Every structure is written in C-alpha cells, then in structure tokens.
C-alpha cells in the first residue's frame, strides 16, 4: 500500500527541509510516494531513483511518474539494493555526487536494517543524509527501530507517532539524520 496522505505530508515536510539533489526510495509500488518526493525536490537537476522488486509495479510506477510529468526527475529501477550498488554509484557519479541526500525506506520491513547497513557500508549515505522510514510500528520494523534507538551517537533520530495509511491504527515514521 502507498504511504497515504497523512504520512505523505510528513515525508513531504522532510523533503522540503532537506532539499535533496539526490534521493533514493526503496519500494516504489505504484509510484505514489515517488511523485510526492520528486515534486518536492526543487534543486535543478535533482533526481530520485526508486528501487522496486516487482516488474509489474515498476511498469505501473513508471507510467504514473510519466503521467505526473516527472520522468526527467524519477527513475524507477527494477531490482533490489544488494544487486544495484555499482549501478547506483555510477548514477551518483554522473550527477557529480557520491552519496544520497535523502532516502525513503518503504519496502519489505525485514529488509530495512540490512539495507540501511548496506547503504552505509557501500558509502552511499554520509553525514547529513536524511533517512525516512515508514511503517515502524505497523506492520513494524523492530530490528531497524532498536538499531536506530541504540545508535544515537551516530544519528539524530526522531520517531513521529502517526496513523497507519487509510486507517486509525497507530503507526510511526522514523527519521534519522547521519551525524
Ligand atoms: C509499501 S509498498 C511501497 C509504497 C510506496 N513507497 C508508496 O508509498 O507509494 C512496498 C513495495 O516494496 C516492494 N519491495 C519489497 N521488497 C523489496 C526490495 N527488497 N527491494 C525493492 N522493492 C521491494 C514491493 O514490491 C512493494 O511494491
């Protein structure tokens, strides 16, 4: 499911304050959050790369992005992070960058922590990178949450209590900024 309007507005506010030139999304689904994030990226030649495991979703998200007039800003890429590290490094290099300014994590919850650690190990995130992670409570990413809570010396961490998309059930979004 997509992040929805309530949490989407929170994500928007972080995109605005971070004003990223380079952004990465893990989990495109139908492209809803990609359109929201890219719409807030105001720097010239800014770019969002959205990784998606499902080929069918890649096709749908690409069409939605095109329909929103954002094809020059968003690339929906078929695959998973562990097989795309070199490609992402090349993409960043072509933009004169080496790390992502903003990351939205919204794919399978058990991949949150391993993929965050992979981004760190690969040097794709660095001081100042803002990492926004959805669904911390529901369905829940407990390993990611406890890692963030126990590494506050390396990151500024804020957990926003909110609601699971299109419901009144509790959820939270966690925002970590690398120190
Ligand atoms: C919650 S949806 C994403 C919603 C989207 N971010 C939005 O708000 O519009 C999760 C998506 O992650 C994809 N996914 C699951 N595991 C993945 C992985 N390891 N890498 C990339 N995408 C993955 C799923 O196919 C699904 O489309």
């Amino acid at each position: 499911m997509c992040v929805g309007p309530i949490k989407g507005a929170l994500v928007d506010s972080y995109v605005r304050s971070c004003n990223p030139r380079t952004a990465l999304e893990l989990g495109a689904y139908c492209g809803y959050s990609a359109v929201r994030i890219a719409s807030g990226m105001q720097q010239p030649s800014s770019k969002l790369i959205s990784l998606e495991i499902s080929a069918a979703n890649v096709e749908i998200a690409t069409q939605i992005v095109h329909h929103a007039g954002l094809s020059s800003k968003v690339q929906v890429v078929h695959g998973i992070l562990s097989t795309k590290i070199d490609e992402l490094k090349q993409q960043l290099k072509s933009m004169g960058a080496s790390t992502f300014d903003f990351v939205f994590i919204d794919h399978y919850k058990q991949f949150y922590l391993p993929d965050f650690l992979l981004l760190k190990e690969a040097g794709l995130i660095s001081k100042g990178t803002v990492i926004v992670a959805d669904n911390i409570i529901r369905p829940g990413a407990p390993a990611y949450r406890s890692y963030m809570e126990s590494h506050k010396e390396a990151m500024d961490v804020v957990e926003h209590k909110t609601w699971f998309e299109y419901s009144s059930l509790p959820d939270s979004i966690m925002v970590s900024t690398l120190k």
Side-chain angles (χ1 to χ4, degrees):
M1 214 185 310
C2 64
V3 68
I6 295 172
K7 291 189 289 183
L10 187 58
V11 176
D12 294 349
S13 72
Y14 276 99
V15 173
R16 275 196 303 274
S17 61
C18 173
N19 193 21
R21 197 166 76 82
T22 55
L24 174 69
E25 173 175 72
L26 301 178
Y29 185 43
C30 62
Y32 174 88
S33 52
V35 167
R36 287 194 83 121
I37 293 166
S39 299
M41 293 173 73
Q42 297 301 321
Q43 288 208 52
S45 71
S46 54
K47 187 150 193 176
L48 167 69
I49 298 170
S50 181
L51 278 186
E52 170 56 52
I53 200 171
S54 148
N57 288 351
V58 170
E59 210 169 294
I60 292 163
T62 301
Q63 284 178 29
I64 295 289
V65 163
H66 177 71
H67 192 64
L70 291 164
S71 295
S72 62
K73 246 186 188 179
V74 182
Q75 190 182 353
V76 186
V77 174
H78 184 211
I80 58 171
L81 184 65
S82 56
T83 63
K84 294 288 171 185
I85 298 294
D86 289 343
E87 199 177 310
L88 292 175
K89 284 186 176 172
Q90 282 305 319
Q91 293 260 17
L92 286 168
K93 198 174 170 194
S94 71
M95 295 182 68
S98 56
T99 57
F100 289 102
D101 301 321
F102 182 90
V103 179
F104 183 47
I105 306 185
D106 192 20
H107 57 340
Y108 284 156
K109 310 313 157 193
Q110 65 268 35
F111 284 104
Y112 279 31
L113 182 56
D115 279 357
F116 166 78
L117 294 172
L118 188 52
L119 286 171
K120 219 165 113 201
E121 188 191 303
L124 289 170
I125 52 177
S126 62
K127 186 177 176 193
T129 299
V130 175
I131 297 147
V132 177
D134 190 19
N135 301 122
I136 295 299
I137 303 289
R138 191 176 305 268
Y144 179 88
R145 188 183 196 216
S146 62
Y147 180 92
M148 290 295 155
E149 280 174 345
S150 59
H151 287 77
K152 290 191 174 168
E153 76 293 345
M155 283 162 291
D156 288 321
V157 180
V158 180
E159 186 172 1
H160 294 273
K161 290 200 166 76
T162 176
W163 311 108
F164 184 67
E165 39 270 37
Y166 309 106
S167 82
S168 52
L169 299 168
D171 192 7
S172 74
I173 277 196
M174 193 166 242
V175 181
S176 312
T177 305
L178 265 61
K179 289 183 190 168

